[in-house]
Amino acid sequence: MKRRKEKNKQKFTIGMRKKLVVLFVLVLLAFVGLGVRLILITKNNGEEYQKQVLSQQQYDSTTIPFRRGEILDANNTILAYSEKVYNVILDAKILLRDSKYLDPTIKALVRCFGLDGGDIRNYLSEHPSSQYYILAKKLTYSEISEFQGLITPGSETYDENIQGIWFEESYIRKYPNGSLASDIIGFTSSDNTGMYGLEEYYNNTLSGTPGREYGYLDDDSNLERTTISATDGDSIVTTIDGNLQTIVEKHLYEFNEQYKNNAREGNGANNVGCIIMDIHTGEILAMASYPNFDLNNPRDTAALIGMPAVDEKGNKVKGESVYDSGVYITEEMLQNFTDEQLYQNYNALWKNFCIADTYEPGSVAKPFTVATGLESGSITGNEVYNCLGKLEVGGWEIKCHNTYGDGAVSVSRGIEISCNVAMMYVAQAIGVNTFTKFQKDFGFGLKTNIDLAGEARTEGLTYSASNMTSTDLATNSFGQGFNVDMIEMITAFSSLINGGYYYEPHVVKKVVSSSGATIKNIEPRILRQTISQSTSDKIIEYCNQVVAGAEGTGKTARPAGYMIGGKTGTAQTLPRGNHQYVVSFMGYAPASDPDIAIYVVVDRPNVLYQDDAKFATRIVRAILTEALPYLNYPMTEELSEKEKAELETLREQLVTTAVAEEEQEENPEEVTEEAGETEEETTEAPEEKERTSIWESFDKDPTTGYYVDPSNGNLIDPDSGSVVGGDELPDFEGVPEEAASASSSN
């Protein structure tokens, strides 16, 4: 036994002890090495590692939202602004730290915000560790002020037992005028990003930079807080005159009310648009279309009712026959729309018709044809053409609006009565090369680069010299066969009547900081000169006769107390022969020395016979009768008793103020004399003049007021002699037909 015990004691040998000592030394050296390494790290990179550690010790972080810049009109009236709102946030973890906090906090929430206490308790029991839950959204300061006092130390109503509630700040976009200028302004998405109009185009300008408040624990475990303030967005001052915009929108709405559900269910037209521009600067004074929408509630489905429905590509859904203008949205259709279909039609509602839709302009293009001929020297302006009611071009027989012929037509009369044959002769004298060159000079086929989101591209919708045939040249001369948009047309037309200067159109004139300091002034920008002053003077002279002349197609556009100039337009849409038209009037005032241009386009009016420019001229008259006095232009024409009553009614409504009568009375003899001559020309002369056209000998239909051709029963417009509802323009496919006829009746 003794030997066995001694044998066991000898197991921990000297060799093993030596190994243990070596291991101990190695471990000790390792710790010494690590210590040296830590000393070196602290000495050389201590600050860098300290930042990393502190960043990992982050306690909380809150984004501070920026305030989006305002949008103002030319009179500094606010069109769009951002209002601070608050979300009520529940921090369950803090609230449940002590049971004494629970009842006082829930009772305060119920009393101040009308919340359901049971719902709050259920959430707390299911999510006791939650630190972020929204109890209420987008409350104003007045709505949170009572509760704010309960949780603010030092306030009279402070209650230390109310815990776990804080307010998260954000902003919502407000539009104090509802639908006013909806096409121009656009709106913002839920994440404060601009959509459509100015909100989208100037999104980077209007947007600011968010700030941040964050905290972390320092070396002593104390909470340190750092705040980086948000930078608010800049504001923009527009060229839009809010009063003028109101006038325009009022009359577009009245047109819709008058013609909606007339020949078919739906709005008064597929679209109605109006632009008023300062021809000497390119500034847009007003721009609107109908239907419009409420900027504060852009997804209100009520605004879609009466619109033509569109497909996934944004094209109008076709009706049951070629004679339909489309399929019009009803309440029943809305109920069956998928989310995708609904969004497709919202996009159609939200886009700006004045810059986004293209169409064939019709006879509004005729002054451009004449200006091209005069400027290029292809015509002198003294030419006289013989209109027999038709002209054969390229194997096609293209008829004039007056199929009975206008006889001898001078260049001036060709504009006044809107003679297609005269324009085709002018175009033949010009030639393809010169004609297409001037079209590009006028900006047709090019974007104007107006500062609004969504401008259409018309490249490819006009001809080049290499692909224009003689027939194309003929139809282009009176505004068919190529497409434009409204902003393209009025910008180009302004250059015709301002001496030839093509200004880049713009809607914003100034950018200002949140403190009110001007950051940038946007000055008028001349891009090129399209025609000379002498040619411009001639075009004004010719277009004045469209309104003032005895045969003028635009007499119904003359506002009460004023003389203006302009040009009517009626264009047949595709497919040809569908009886669907776009009618328009391009005008300017004053007639003697133009300052502003106005363009109204009515796309497929809701009437049986659409090809009548008076649907546009009457809108122009209504707008200018109210707008010109507001803009302080003195009256030049004597007022009839009916016009006096009309102006008196306007004074009572008072969107605007009519020109003071004293301004008229300063030179009563001059005004009366000039006005008397005009009144005789525009109202009495057409009734008393000797009949010179065949159709003027026809009997009138007492219901429509149109002449009736006894040989075929066609209705004839009493002002222009055009066949109402006729198939006027050939489709130029297949073999030419003798009965093919032309468009652009006015």
Side-chain angles (χ1 to χ4, degrees):
M1 295 291 292
K2 188 174 181 180
R3 285 182 181 177
R4 188 177 295 173
K5 288 181 181 179
E6 289 178 355
K7 189 176 181 180
N8 290 339
K9 287 181 180 179
Q10 291 178 353
K11 283 184 178 180
F12 195 65
T13 64
I14 295 174
M16 293 174 66
R17 291 176 182 174
K18 289 181 179 179
K19 289 180 180 179
L20 184 60
V21 170
V22 171
L23 178 61
F24 175 77
V25 171
L26 289 174
V27 171
L28 181 62
L29 289 175
F31 275 105
V32 171
L34 287 173
V36 172
R37 180 59 180 160
L38 286 173
I39 293 171
L40 292 175
I41 288 174
T42 303
K43 181 179 179 181
N44 298 327
N45 305 100
E47 186 175 345
E48 177 183 345
Y49 283 101
Q50 184 180 22
K51 289 179 180 179
Q52 290 184 18
V53 171
L54 291 176
S55 68
Q56 293 169 6
Q57 290 179 333
Q58 182 175 336
Y59 177 76
D60 63 8
S61 178
T62 304
T63 299
I64 302 174
F66 62 80
R67 184 186 183 93
R68 191 173 176 87
E70 296 176 343
I71 300 176
L72 302 97
D73 83 340
N75 304 313
N76 286 320
T77 300
I78 295 176
L79 301 176
Y81 71 96
S82 291
E83 179 180 67
K84 183 179 284 189
V85 292
Y86 304 83
N87 293 338
V88 183
I89 308 300
L90 168 65
D91 187 330
K93 191 173 183 179
I94 291 179
L95 178 56
L96 296 175
R97 283 186 309 179
D98 195 318
S99 60
K100 68 179 182 179
Y101 299 151
L102 187 60
D103 287 340
T105 301
I106 292 178
K107 287 179 181 178
L109 288 170
V110 172
R111 184 179 74 253
C112 295
F113 304 120
L115 299 173
D116 188 311
D119 289 344
I120 298 174
R121 291 180 187 275
N122 289 338
Y123 181 83
L124 290 170
S125 64
E126 295 172 3
H127 307 85
S129 60
S130 168
Q131 290 190 279
Y132 184 90
Y133 178 67
I134 300 176
L135 293 173
K137 292 182 178 181
K138 298 181 180 179
L139 303 181
T140 64
Y141 181 76
S142 62
E143 291 174 316
I144 71 161
S145 58
E146 181 183 354
F147 197 94
Q148 181 76 52
L150 297 174
I151 62 174
T152 303
S155 72
E156 294 180 359
T157 58
Y158 175 64
D159 185 344
E160 63 181 7
N161 290 323
I162 297 179
Q163 296 289 326
I165 303 296
W166 56 281
F167 296 111
E168 179 182 56
E169 297 179 356
S170 63
Y171 288 95
I172 57 173
R173 202 64 164 161
K174 292 278 191 173
Y175 303 94
N177 300 295
S179 62
L180 184 72
S182 58
D183 283 339
I184 300 170
I185 298 172
F187 53 95
T188 59
S189 62
S190 57
D191 63 354
N192 212 22
T193 300
M195 297 178 65
Y196 298 90
L198 293 170
E199 292 279 27
E200 180 178 336
Y201 190 93
Y202 284 95
N203 185 62
N204 291 338
T205 300
L206 294 165
S207 297
T209 304
R212 183 170 292 278
E213 181 181 59
Y214 58 93
Y216 59 87
L217 297 175
D218 63 13
D219 292 336
D220 299 322
S221 296
N222 295 319
L223 181 62
E224 296 288 341
R225 287 193 177 276
T226 300
T227 301
I228 301 175
S229 299
T231 302
D232 292 340
D234 297 325
S235 297
I236 55 177
V237 181
T238 70
T239 60
I240 300 299
D241 185 315
N243 294 324
L244 210 55
Q245 183 76 20
T246 301
I247 293 170
V248 169
E249 294 193 17
K250 179 182 76 170
H251 291 293
L252 295 189
Y253 172 76
E254 288 177 352
F255 174 88
N256 187 72
E257 290 300 292
Q258 180 178 355
Y259 290 102
K260 72 179 181 180
N261 302 325
N262 186 19
R264 52 166 171 74
E265 292 295 314
N267 288 334
N270 279 11
N271 289 285
V272 186
C274 176
I275 303 176
I276 300 179
M277 174 185 279
D278 185 327
I279 68 170
H280 300 299
T281 63
E283 292 184 352
I284 304 299
L285 306 181
M287 175 188 285
S289 68
Y290 195 90
N292 55 9
F293 57 94
D294 185 351
L295 291 167
N296 294 304
N297 186 18
R299 290 173 176 80
D300 180 7
T301 56
L304 297 174
I305 297 174
M307 285 179 53
V310 298
D311 59 22
E312 65 277 2
K313 295 182 179 180
N315 298 321
K316 293 179 178 62
V317 176
K318 294 182 179 179
E320 295 179 358
S321 74
V322 295
Y323 301 109
D324 293 323
S325 300
V327 176
Y328 295 86
I329 299 174
T330 63
E331 185 69 46
E332 293 72 24
M333 288 176 62
L334 281 175
Q335 294 174 1
N336 296 318
F337 273 173
T338 63
D339 290 343
E340 184 179 353
Q341 288 175 315
L342 193 61
Y343 191 71
Q344 290 166 189
N345 286 280
Y346 275 140
N347 281 332
L349 172 68
W350 294 334
K351 72 178 181 179
N352 185 347
F353 172 73
C354 298
I355 68 170
D357 280 37
T358 68
Y359 54 90
E360 295 175 75
S363 293
V364 171
K366 288 175 179 174
F368 294 96
T369 299
V370 172
T372 298
L374 293 171
E375 189 66 22
S376 64
S378 303
I379 63 172
T380 64
N382 298 320
E383 290 80 2
V384 177
Y385 308 103
N386 185 25
C387 174
L388 300 176
K390 60 186 177 182
L391 186 66
E392 185 176 318
V393 181
W396 293 91
E397 192 176 84
I398 304 175
K399 293 184 178 180
C400 194
H401 72 91
N402 178 4
T403 57
Y404 307 100
D406 290 311
V409 180
S410 65
V411 175
S412 175
R413 185 169 179 245
I415 295 291
E416 180 182 350
I417 66 174
S418 202
C419 178
N420 290 348
V421 170
M423 294 304 111
M424 288 189 279
Y425 277 126
V426 172
Q428 287 177 354
I430 294 170
V432 167
N433 291 324
T434 302
F435 187 88
T436 54
K437 174 189 176 300
F438 271 83
Q439 275 204 317
K440 284 293 183 285
D441 289 346
F442 291 131
F444 300 146
L446 305 173
K447 293 181 72 171
T448 66
N449 291 323
I450 187 172
D451 50 345
L452 288 172
E455 182 181 7
R457 293 180 63 88
T458 56
E459 183 181 5
L461 301 179
T462 57
Y463 287 93
S464 63
S466 61
N467 64 7
M468 177 177 274
T469 65
S470 60
T471 305
D472 298 327
L473 177 63
T475 56
N476 274 215
S477 73
F478 52 82
Q480 295 274 185
F482 68 98
N483 277 40
V484 296
D485 53 50
M486 284 187 68
I487 190 61
E488 198 172 64
M489 282 300 290
I490 193 171
T491 303
F493 190 83
S494 293
S495 76
L496 289 187
I497 58 175
N498 70 5
Y501 300 104
Y502 187 99
Y503 285 90
E504 185 176 69
H506 61 282
V507 180
V508 172
K509 63 179 179 180
K510 186 164 61 173
V511 178
V512 298
S513 69
S514 57
S515 63
T518 299
I519 296 174
K520 180 182 180 181
N521 284 311
I522 300 174
E523 302 294 338
R525 183 183 177 198
I526 299 176
L527 299 183
R528 55 187 173 272
Q529 186 162 8
T530 57
I531 57 175
S532 63
Q533 182 66 57
S534 60
T535 299
S536 178
D537 292 340
K538 277 288 187 183
I539 296 301
I540 293 172
E541 177 187 331
Y542 297 159
C543 288
N544 282 350
Q545 289 302 108
V546 172
V547 178
E551 298 181 281
T553 58
K555 294 191 293 293
T556 52
R558 185 180 76 79
Y562 298 90
M563 183 52 67
I564 65 170
K567 184 69 191 77
T568 51
T570 306
Q572 189 177 357
T573 64
L574 292 171
R576 307 304 186 198
N578 65 359
H579 302 294
Q580 307 296 313
Y581 294 84
V582 174
V583 297
S584 60
F585 182 80
M586 181 79 76
Y588 55 83
S592 57
D593 187 16
D595 283 330
I596 63 169
I598 180 171
Y599 187 29
V600 169
V601 173
V602 182
D603 176 17
R604 299 169 180 83
N606 191 349
V607 293
L608 183 61
Y609 302 120
Q610 297 179 5
D611 53 332
D612 190 340
K614 286 192 284 293
F615 295 114
T617 59
R618 289 166 183 159
I619 296 175
V620 170
R621 182 191 184 279
I623 291 172
L624 291 185
T625 293
E626 195 168 350
L628 291 178
Y630 166 72
L631 294 172
N632 293 320
Y633 287 107
M635 291 185 179
T636 58
E637 312 301 307
E638 185 177 15
L639 294 170
S640 65
E641 291 302 317
K642 182 179 179 181
E643 289 173 334
K644 288 178 182 178
E646 180 182 3
L647 292 178
E648 187 58 37
T649 301
L650 286 177
R651 289 190 183 96
E652 292 172 1
Q653 297 174 350
L654 226 36
V655 169
T656 63
T657 304
V659 151
E661 293 182 2
E662 304 88 67
E663 293 183 4
Q664 269 185 267
E665 294 171 358
E666 289 179 5
N667 299 297
E669 295 180 4
E670 178 183 342
V671 172
T672 303
E673 181 181 352
E674 182 180 353
E677 293 173 359
T678 305
E679 194 71 24
E680 182 180 351
E681 290 176 6
T682 59
T683 58
E684 297 176 12
E687 295 296 328
E688 298 176 358
K689 70 177 183 178
E690 183 179 349
R691 290 176 174 172
T692 57
S693 299
I694 296 174
W695 49 269
E696 290 180 299
S697 65
F698 298 157
D699 293 332
K700 273 191 176 182
D701 179 349
T703 304
T704 63
Y706 293 130
Y707 290 106
V708 181
D709 188 331
S711 64
N712 52 29
N714 286 339
L715 298 179
I716 311 298
D717 187 296
D719 294 322
S720 64
S722 61
V723 178
V724 176
D727 296 343
E728 298 174 341
L729 193 67
D731 57 14
F732 302 115
E733 293 181 1
V735 180
E737 300 176 1
E738 290 184 6
S741 51
S743 179
S744 204
S745 57
N746 285 348

